[in-house]
Amino acid sequence: MRTARREWAARLAAVVDEHFLPALEEFDLDFDDLTDILGEQLPWTLWGCAFEDFLSRRWEPDGRTVVDVYLKRRGWSEKVLNRAYIEGLRDAHVSLHEVSRAVPGQSMALRDLLTGGEPVTVREKSATRQLKQWDRIVARVVSVRDHHVIAGGVLPFSAEAVEMLFGGLRDALRLRKPTRRDVTVDQLRHCAPIFSGARFFTHLPGLLNPPAPHLTNTDGEELEFHELRFPFVPRVAQGQVVAALSRVPDLSRDGSKSWDWLARTKPVAGKKTGRTGPRARNLPGGRHGARIAGVEGQGACASIRRSAPRGAGR
């Protein structure tokens, strides 16, 4: 008994590795890192997809599944509907589906984009509150006596993920166009890790290396950021420089060793003297100014940081 349990546990671990290891090794991550990157729910949804794959796999030498073993030993303890669901989950295959119709909180019609056929109506509450017509999801449609449901591992797929999935299926199954709906159910039973991989490899890169924000000024010109450093001459202490900068009229203190460099502007006639925008500041003596740079004392130098339209004169 213990040997058999260890054998099934090793098989489960091997299936989970097929789903997770390619991405974890590519991005140098551990499973625990995924919750920080993807959130609490998604990593376990992906683990659930791997577990459902494990439940449906048939193993040599007798072609049995772990579900067959469980039902033989403990099937008598399951209620009729529970047993029907377990058997349906064992026989279900993973596929890419398109939402043809959704009734929030009740049901939705799913069209299998890989094996073809007519849309199948599935009973579902939570997912139908988020999905809408034409959305594409990866899921297993489970037949339970006189109706259909979806298994717990449901993955929304972006256009980019769909494209990567088709490429993976084309390479694995040697197909020219997997969108022709000439993929068989038996073929898909061996391809579940490709679905997980498509989700990982299109989702993780943008989270690990998010694109830099595109910043512009009010005229729509792209901004560049510049920093100029001015080393202190020998035998000049930082305190002396700080004291000198504090006496410059156009510098407004923003910390113990930092200032805003303000361009003086005249208040508009008929308006109160005050800030006119996020970059505007009031100067001592009722003067008004807009921030054009930041000045900071750093060790043995002073630095000036500012932004300017790309290509503008330095």
Side-chain angles (χ1 to χ4, degrees):
M1 179 71 73
R2 290 181 179 177
T3 301
R5 287 181 178 176
R6 285 196 295 268
E7 183 179 3
W8 285 110
R11 288 171 173 172
L12 171 59
V15 173
V16 172
D17 283 349
E18 289 182 38
H19 285 254
F20 281 83
L21 268 188
L24 295 181
E25 291 179 348
E26 174 68 22
F27 299 107
D28 193 22
L29 299 172
D30 294 323
F31 181 83
D32 293 340
D33 297 326
L34 295 178
T35 55
D36 296 330
I37 301 168
L38 302 175
E40 293 290 338
Q41 182 176 352
L42 183 54
W44 290 107
T45 300
L46 287 158
W47 191 93
C49 294
F51 184 67
E52 292 166 4
D53 182 19
F54 167 68
L55 295 180
S56 67
R57 289 202 186 187
R58 299 189 176 275
W59 302 88
E60 298 297 341
D62 52 10
R64 290 191 304 170
T65 69
V66 68
V67 171
D68 296 329
V69 175
Y70 171 77
L71 291 178
K72 182 177 180 180
R73 294 176 180 172
R74 300 286 301 174
W76 57 269
S77 65
E78 295 288 350
K79 294 181 179 180
V80 174
L81 282 179
N82 289 347
R83 181 177 180 120
Y85 174 78
I86 294 171
E87 292 173 336
L89 184 57
R90 173 199 60 194
D91 299 334
H93 65 279
V94 66
S95 193
L96 176 70
H97 302 272
E98 184 177 75
V99 179
S100 300
R101 182 185 68 258
V103 181
Q106 297 184 31
S107 65
M108 58 183 171
L110 298 178
R111 183 165 61 95
D112 193 322
L113 297 179
L114 297 177
T115 63
E118 293 299 318
V120 174
T121 299
V122 299
R123 298 179 184 177
E124 174 61 27
K125 292 184 178 181
S126 59
T128 54
R129 295 189 176 98
Q130 302 172 8
L131 296 172
K132 58 185 182 301
Q133 190 177 27
W134 313 127
D135 281 348
R136 294 180 176 185
I137 63 172
V138 165
R140 293 173 186 261
V141 175
V142 181
S143 176
V144 183
R145 305 187 77 180
D146 61 346
H147 65 278
H148 294 86
V149 298
I150 54 175
V154 178
L155 297 174
F157 256 45
S158 64
E160 183 184 8
V162 170
E163 184 178 354
M164 182 172 287
L165 171 64
F166 285 154
L169 292 174
R170 182 177 60 248
D171 294 341
L173 302 177
R174 299 180 181 179
L175 301 173
R176 290 185 178 180
K177 294 182 179 179
T179 54
R180 288 170 52 193
R181 302 179 191 175
D182 54 0
V183 182
T184 67
V185 170
D186 287 338
Q187 287 175 318
L188 288 176
R189 293 190 190 282
H190 302 284
C191 293
I194 298 176
F195 292 79
S196 298
R199 181 59 191 260
F200 272 129
F201 281 91
T202 55
H203 202 55
L204 281 175
L207 296 174
L208 294 172
N209 300 294
H214 183 70
L215 301 177
T216 64
N217 60 17
T218 55
D219 295 325
E221 298 171 312
E222 187 176 358
L223 294 177
E224 286 183 325
F225 292 87
H226 309 276
E227 180 176 356
L228 302 176
R229 295 194 175 195
F230 302 90
F232 300 160
V233 299
R235 294 186 298 277
V236 172
Q238 187 183 84
Q240 295 174 278
V241 176
V242 169
L245 291 173
S246 298
R247 293 192 294 269
V248 177
D250 292 341
L251 296 183
S252 175
R253 198 111 186 199
D254 193 40
S256 61
K257 299 178 183 179
S258 59
W259 300 261
D260 287 329
W261 185 359
L262 304 173
R264 303 181 194 181
T265 60
K266 293 182 179 180
V268 178
K271 291 191 177 180
K272 275 187 176 182
T273 300
R275 298 185 182 185
T276 58
R279 294 166 63 90
R281 298 288 181 89
N282 288 325
L283 293 171
R287 294 171 298 163
H288 195 68
R291 188 180 187 277
I292 59 174
V295 181
E296 185 176 357
Q298 297 179 327
C301 71
S303 67
I304 299 176
R305 296 189 181 95
R306 67 161 300 178
S307 61
R310 183 177 295 275
R314 305 291 193 269

